[in-house]
Amino acid sequence: MKNIRNFCIIAHIDHGKSTLADRMLDITATVTEREKQDQLLDNMDLERERGITIKSHAIQMNHNYNGEAYKFNLIDTPGHVDFSYEVSRSIAACEGALLIVDATQGIQAQTISNLYLALEHDLEIIPILNKIDLPSSNPEEIGDQIIDLIGCTREDILLASAKTGEGVAEILDAIVERIPAPEGDPEAPLQALIFDSVFNSYRGIEAIFRVKNGVIKKGQRVKFMNTGKEYDADEIGTLKLVKDPQKQISAGDVGYIISGIKEAKEVKVGDTITSKESPATTAIAGFEEVKPMVYAGIYPVDTDEFEELRTSLEKLQLNDASLTFEAETSAALGFGFRCGFLGMLHMEIIQERLEREFNMTVITTVPNVSYYAYTKKDPDERLIVNNPSDYPDPAILERIEEPYIKAQVITKSEFVGAVMTLCIEKRGEIVGQTYLTSERVELTFDMPLAEIVFDFYDRLKTISKGYASFDYHPVGYRASNLVKVDILLNAEPVDALSALIHKSKAEDIGRKMCVKLKELIPRQQFLIAIQAAIGAKIISRETLSALRKDVTAKCYGGDISRKRKLLEKQKAGKKRMRQLGNVEVPQQAFLAVLKLN
Ligand code: GDP
Ligand code: MG
């Protein structure tokens, strides 16, 4: 145990986490030339394209220090707010963290909130200023930020370039010198913390764990304490670039277990593995069931593809347990699914995977958060509203509660005013303002999660000219005053366009939605009335005039193939159109409410 070091990397996106990890794998010769490939840790295509690490993985490397061999377990953490629970479990598996800050950029909100998580778990922090090869790097000033933030000295801060490799050897040595060896009792009953899982279509789910106490042995009967399920440890091993099967893994070390588990749902991040024969009395603290934060309807564009969509979602869920779904019907869209996501990024990822991996064309409806409703009939009974259609009739509604978050924005001091204005507009309440340096300010505020769903990121980016970073954590439910805004097309209500909106904004948003829909719905052969209503009261109306010209008319008598091409082009354009009554509505219209200005 004394020669093991377990650590993670805390960094903002693009600050160099993957590049540094690659360089460390190089220097420790974990990766042979043949295996070499940029950014090894990001191995899903989508992750690679987006340049973000969606799921955490772990990798082991060896490092010699003063003639002694050390074993490093680098635990990769997801880099986005949607996955903060997973980050907390990865951190709980480590004794130390490399805090990487881009020396040309400075500290961002996401970094700070993960840093706080690491400090809560008493991790030893090794601060690193990366990208010092760039002329625009400013290690002096950004070093000051780090000193203020974690209370270290200037000498504690390592300077590096993950790109050129400068300073990386020093980082490896610092890991040995500064990060404590794991503690734990190999003689005690087995307790291993699951911090990640990986889907393998041939072998089932691999759970990745850190042994806190005891020893896990191949072939042993194990029990997952929170789910209560039992398995045989068919294979256990350590994670090099390829899996390296072992007979046993002891306290302090990191490894994987394969035990014939078919569904990701059975492996819950944060669960504790113990032995069936002599179980531990308690599970490792900090386990939580991950709950979806955002819901949206997903409908096949082609109504015949409903069953295919179900199969695709089932397959996606096999390797992404945080995706939930259940069948629902919409008067407008027919049969589809109400899906639950960890956040907006997660929603985008699922939608993209459905299209790329399963070749589905889908319509996604306006996302909403999950509300609690209480009716006059039984004010103690909590109804969970995950779909505006399930919103109780206002006449019988006792009260409604919505989820709140604590949000953190870091920006330049010149943008503080604009950010505050945005937060207030978003029903936020400023609870803190801290100057990190004379130039950079951290603002904290409480605000409804629903406001994040509605174009918050884009607005924040615009008003700060890109110089603002953002992070949030859920802080429970609060009473609210919401109304349901319905949209009618030619007097027909379109349930898939309904949204729950705070009363103070409902009229304004209803009006803007009509304007936006007028922009998005193509003109058709007849006039279309677009109306917004609250209950029976129409609050706004726009009129889309009829189209006169027949688009094919101008090639009449002309080249027939040109005409066919035009028709095909039209058809392709229609791919994402849904017929609602007699009106054709494009996909973007269903998300119109997210794009209001
Ligand atoms: P991650 O999002 O934190 O994993 O960041 P990446 O490792 O993907 O790096 C983001 C970008 O910064 C990539 O284009 C890297 O090539 C570049 N980069 C990373 N480290 C350095 C460095 O030390 N110097 C320079 N000049 N570029 C770097
Ligand atoms: Mg990366």
Side-chain angles (χ1 to χ4, degrees), residues 228-383:
K229 295 226 162 102
E230 288 177 19
Y231 308 96
D232 292 318
D234 297 334
E235 181 180 319
I236 58 168
T238 51
L239 291 148
K240 302 283 176 55
L241 206 60
V242 289
K243 288 192 283 293
D244 188 7
Q246 305 285 329
K247 291 252 166 353
Q248 63 170 55
I249 296 173
S250 303
D253 215 345
V254 170
Y256 70 89
I257 173 171
I258 297 177
S259 48
I261 301 171
K262 288 282 175 281
E263 295 191 13
K265 275 189 282 192
E266 288 182 47
V267 179
K268 299 204 187 281
V269 167
D271 205 346
T272 304
I273 307 174
T274 193
S275 106
K276 163 73 177 147
E277 204 155 287
S278 46
T281 47
T282 53
I284 296 163
F287 174 77
E288 275 173 36
E289 290 276 352
V290 202
K291 284 199 309 271
M293 302 285 280
V294 174
Y295 291 81
I298 294 189
Y299 289 82
V301 164
D302 182 344
T303 46
D304 294 343
E305 288 183 349
F306 172 74
E307 282 306 328
E308 216 177 313
L309 179 58
R310 182 200 297 280
T311 314
S312 308
L313 286 168
E314 277 165 359
K315 284 192 182 143
L316 272 177
Q317 203 179 43
L318 289 178
N319 66 37
D320 183 350
S322 48
L323 167 69
T324 64
F325 63 91
E326 56 183 47
E328 72 173 5
T329 33
S330 148
L333 295 174
F335 294 104
F337 297 92
R338 176 93 343 203
C339 300
F341 309 98
L342 295 177
M344 295 296 282
L345 177 76
H346 188 216
M347 178 175 112
E348 272 177 48
I349 290 167
I350 295 293
Q351 200 180 336
E352 232 171 286
R353 291 187 65 188
L354 278 174
E355 310 220 321
R356 288 193 199 195
E357 295 168 33
F358 299 93
N359 211 11
M360 300 293 309
T361 315
V362 295
I363 280 182
T364 309
T365 65
V366 185
N368 56 267
V369 300
S370 183
Y371 298 95
Y372 293 162
Y374 304 84
T375 60
K376 288 182 179 136
K377 210 175 79 198
D378 182 0
D380 292 327
E381 192 196 358
R382 173 199 287 168
L383 304 171

Side-chain angles (χ1 to χ4, degrees), residues 444-482:
T444 348
F445 41 92
D446 289 345
M447 82 186 222
L449 174 66
E451 298 289 341
I452 302 293
V453 174
F454 295 117
D455 83 340
F456 182 80
Y457 291 107
D458 291 348
R459 294 279 305 283
L460 183 65
K461 243 188 268 161
T462 312
I463 59 166
S464 65
K465 306 196 164 67
Y467 289 106
S469 63
F470 171 68
D471 189 35
Y472 70 85
H473 297 284
V475 290
Y477 278 71
R478 295 190 192 170
S480 188
N481 191 356
L482 300 167

Side-chain angles (χ1 to χ4, degrees), residues 538-593:
I538 302 290
I539 52 173
S540 176
R541 174 187 169 124
E542 293 288 329
T543 307
L544 189 62
S545 58
L547 188 68
R548 280 194 199 91
K549 268 189 240 128
D550 176 356
V551 268
T552 59
K554 60 172 171 271
C555 7
Y556 185 72
D559 177 357
I560 188 75
S561 75
R562 230 184 92 206
K563 187 167 172 178
R564 188 175 302 130
K565 251 192 211 140
L566 197 64
L567 285 170
E568 265 161 24
K569 216 168 120 202
Q570 262 197 340
K571 227 162 80 193
K574 267 186 203 163
K575 235 184 138 202
R576 265 168 195 285
M577 295 270 202
R578 269 306 280 269
Q579 189 85 25
L580 302 183
N582 55 1
V583 183
E584 288 205 315
V585 180
Q587 153 79 53
Q588 304 96 286
F590 293 96
L591 299 176
V593 67

Side-chain angles (χ1 to χ4, degrees), residues 82-99:
D82 288 3
F83 305 97
S84 59
Y85 171 70
E86 293 191 15
V87 176
S88 86
R89 297 303 81 204
S90 300
I91 281 173
C94 299
E95 279 77 36
L98 310 183
L99 170 68

